Structure formats: C-alpha cells, structure tokens
C-alpha cells in the first residue's frame, strides 16, 4: 500500500523494539535477562496465533520466554496454582494469561492472582486502579498503550482533541478512554466512550478529531461516520467468512478501510497498524518489570 496518510505500525513498532533492545542489553550487563511467561488455556485458534507472535518477538529481542498450555478442561484451582508458582519464579518478570479464557474461569479472580509487579498486561485491579488515578507506577494494557504511542509518534496532537472511542471492553475501550482523558502530557483529551447502546453513534463519530474503533464489529465504521481530516485508529481484528480464501475466512478491521482511507487525516492499515504495537508495548512492559525488579532487589 502506498497511501500518504498511513500510520505504519510495523515501522514504529520496529523503532520501539530497537529502544527496548538497548534496555535489554543494559539489563544483561547487570546480569538480568528479562523473562516472560505465557499462559494459554484451550485451543482458541486466534489465541494460538497471538501467543506465537509474542513468543517470536521475545526470541528476536533476547527476552527469555516460556509458554504454559493448559487443556480447556483445566480447573481454576490448577490455573491459580500455576500463577502462584510463576509469581515466585525469579526467572520470570512478566506473566501474561491470554484472553479470552474459557467461560468456567472467573477472569477477575485469575487476573487478580498475577502479582501486580509481574502484570505486564495491566489487567490486575491494582494496575487498573493506578491507571484510573493517573499513578504512573502501574502497568498499562498493551493495546491502548500502543494506540496512544502511535498517535504520539505520528505527531497527532492528543491534548484538547475530541476523541471518540468505540467499544467499552476492559482490554481496549475502557483503558483507552482513561489514558487519553488523564491530566498530563499526551493526554488532556475530551473523550467520548461509545458502545452498542449509544444513541446516534454517527453524530458522535462525526465530531471526532480522533476516532478509535475497538468494538469488534467487522467494517462497522463507514465513510459517512467520519469527518474529513479525522485520524482513524482501527483496533479491530475480525474473522469474516470468505469462500475464496484458502482457509475459508479473511481478517478485517472495525473500519471499512477502502471507503474511509481517502477521507482520513491519518489512518492505521489493518493488518500492520495497531497489531504490531501491542507486541512492542508488551516487550517494553516486560523490560520495565525486569528493571523495576532490579531496583527492588538493590
Ligand atoms: N487478548 C486480546 N488482547 C489481549 C491482550 O492484550 N492480552 C491478553 N492477555 N490477552 C489478550
């Protein structure tokens, strides 16, 4: 693709990986290799792909990683016991339990069991609370953090902007809104959080300077919902049936890209926009967890 208004998530993630690699080198000089444990329950095909990509990034950057795959029928007690062992494992600085979990798990109990200082996903209530309070000592969830970083590194002004976030999920929508309305640098935006019950959604979207689509509905955002010049960030990853594709489906975002791209001030392609940034932020959080462990131990 060669559109002038594209935000190249792969290139920006590459810059961040370079910065993270320098920090890893410094840590290794002090005798510490950052370590990240992945926990995946069941055989959700998308989760397998995501964890595979994260493992690969660890290997490329020199982060130690180990993956624990538990059967779908694993009990909550067994999962909590594994997390307890990882919490006290000194080789492991970050723990990631891939979502979604099978429905017989209580997600809040599981995510509360990961020690906050190893919670590189930012899902523990302590880290969620710190984000809400504007306390920078916590970990922030990787995908919204990646969206914010893309805006910053693409010179999109967040301060004072009207930002509409579509979707109120715990992984993206809610933390995204919290980050952007924060009092502070690269924040101070006026944020509207829209969802399936929002009245006249199009009117909200058309007011936005920055529109962030994270509701998981294939190609929901159409051209008539976007004011010319708006910066459009597409977080969606949706499988839609496609008899012509070899595997029977193709992946599309939450934005009807072909329609919206010509209007947008800037726009993330999908794939190649937000996705690589989630991984870059995870690597960064893991390295930060390792750095913090060093400070705690000295
Ligand atoms: N599933 C979709 N996004 C994420 C994420 O950022 N972290 C985890 N653990 N699971 C996810």
């Amino acid at each position: 693709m060669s559109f002038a208004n594209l935000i190249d998530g792969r290139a920006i993630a590459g810059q961040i990986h370079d910065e993270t690699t320098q920090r890893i080198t410094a840590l290794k000089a002090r005798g510490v290799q950052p370590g990240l444990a992945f926990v995946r329950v069941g055989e959700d095909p998308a989760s397998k792909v995501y964890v595979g990509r994260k493992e690969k990034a660890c290997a490329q950057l020199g982060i130690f990683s180990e993956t624990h795959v538990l059967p779908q029928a694993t009990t909550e007690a067994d999962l909590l016991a594994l997390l307890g062992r990882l919490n006290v494992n000194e080789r492991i600085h970050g723990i990631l339990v891939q979502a979604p979990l099978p429905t017989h798990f209580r997600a809040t109990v599981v995510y509360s069991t990961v020690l906050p200082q190893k919670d590189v996903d930012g899902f523990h209530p302590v880290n969620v609370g710190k984000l809400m309070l504007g306390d920078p000592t916590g970990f922030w969830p990787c995908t919204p953090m990646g969206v914010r970083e893309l805006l910053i590194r693409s010179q999109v002004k967040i301060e004072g902007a009207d930002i509409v976030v579509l979707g109120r999920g715990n992984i993206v929508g809610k933390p995204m809104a919290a980050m952007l309305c924060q009092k502070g640098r690269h924040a101070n935006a006026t944020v509207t959080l829209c969802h399936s019950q929002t009245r006249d959604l199009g009117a909200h979207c058309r007011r936005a300077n920055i529109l962030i689509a994270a509701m998981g509905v294939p190609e929901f955002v159409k051209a008539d919902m976007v004011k010319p010049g708006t910066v459009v960030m597409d977080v969606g990853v949706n499988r839609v049936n496609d008899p012509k594709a070899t595997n029977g489906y193709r992946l599309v975002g939450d934005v009807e890209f072909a329609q919206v791209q010509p209007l947008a001030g800037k726009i993330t392609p999908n794939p190649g926009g937000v996705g690589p940034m989630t991984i870059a932020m995870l690597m960064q959080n893991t390295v930060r967890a390792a750095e913090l462990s060093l400070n705690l131990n000295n």
Side-chain angles (χ1 to χ4, degrees):
M1 258 181 285
S2 64
F3 300 116
N5 61 352
L6 285 192
I7 295 177
D8 187 344
R10 289 197 184 107
I12 295 173
Q15 288 166 13
I16 294 168
H17 285 317
D18 289 345
E19 296 161 17
T20 306
T21 302
Q22 289 182 15
R23 289 165 68 179
I24 294 170
T25 305
L27 276 167
K28 286 183 177 166
R30 297 182 67 181
V32 175
Q33 182 185 20
L36 176 54
F38 299 104
V39 180
R40 184 164 66 69
V41 185
E43 297 302 316
D44 177 64
S47 292
K48 280 182 169 173
V49 172
Y50 292 142
V51 172
R53 285 186 192 155
K54 293 170 189 174
E55 288 168 339
K56 196 169 147 210
C58 286
Q60 282 169 348
L61 268 66
I63 293 175
F64 168 77
S65 82
E66 60 183 41
T67 301
H68 301 262
V69 180
L70 305 180
Q72 175 84 13
T74 300
T75 62
E76 191 179 275
D78 282 347
L79 174 57
L80 299 188
L82 169 62
L83 295 177
R85 291 194 295 277
L86 294 171
N87 278 341
V88 295
N89 182 340
E90 290 188 0
R91 191 93 185 68
I92 297 300
H93 302 97
I95 301 169
L96 181 144
V97 183
Q98 185 66 26
L101 284 167
T103 49
H104 64 280
F105 291 95
R106 294 169 295 171
T108 46
V109 172
V110 172
Y111 289 113
S112 303
T113 302
V114 175
L115 275 181
Q117 60 268 35
K118 294 195 178 189
D119 171 37
V120 288
D121 250 336
F123 292 175
H124 190 287
V126 164
N127 285 318
V128 176
K130 285 184 174 183
L131 169 58
M132 290 306 295
L133 293 167
D135 175 344
T137 65
F139 287 103
W140 289 2
C142 301
T143 300
M145 205 177 161
V147 171
R148 178 171 170 272
E149 200 62 41
L150 280 181
L151 292 169
I152 295 168
R153 292 184 189 234
S154 307
Q155 283 82 44
V156 176
K157 193 167 163 57
I158 299 173
E159 284 88 351
D162 271 317
I163 303 186
V164 171
V165 178
L166 301 178
R168 56 179 152 181
N170 288 331
I171 297 182
V172 187
K174 276 196 255 178
M176 185 84 257
M179 281 173 205
L180 297 170
C181 71
Q182 220 58 257
K183 193 169 191 146
R185 215 161 106 76
H186 301 310
N188 280 323
T190 303
V191 181
T192 307
L193 184 55
C194 295
H195 48 76
S196 52
Q197 301 293 308
T198 299
R199 287 188 200 147
D200 203 355
L201 194 95
H204 286 291
C205 293
R206 282 187 292 276
R207 264 209 346 269
N209 307 119
I210 302 170
L211 180 60
I212 303 172
M215 77 294 243
V217 181
E219 300 183 321
F220 180 84
V221 176
K222 311 283 188 206
D224 66 359
M225 298 166 72
V226 178
K227 177 172 69 174
T230 298
V231 174
V232 180
M233 311 298 283
D234 187 358
V235 183
V237 184
N238 308 292
R239 278 185 183 208
V240 293
N241 292 333
D242 183 353
K244 280 182 274 167
T246 43
N247 43 11
Y249 68 87
R250 68 194 157 87
L251 295 176
V252 298
D254 286 358
V255 176
E256 175 101 50
F257 184 84
Q259 280 186 14
V260 173
Q261 180 273 327
L263 285 173
K266 292 181 193 283
I267 186 166
T268 56
N270 198 339
V274 175
M277 290 299 287
T278 298
I279 295 178
M281 295 296 106
L282 175 65
M283 300 297 111
Q284 200 181 68
N285 275 352
T286 302
V287 168
R288 184 165 156 243
E291 289 167 350
L292 291 171
S293 78
L294 207 57
N295 293 342
L296 291 178
N297 293 337
N298 286 340

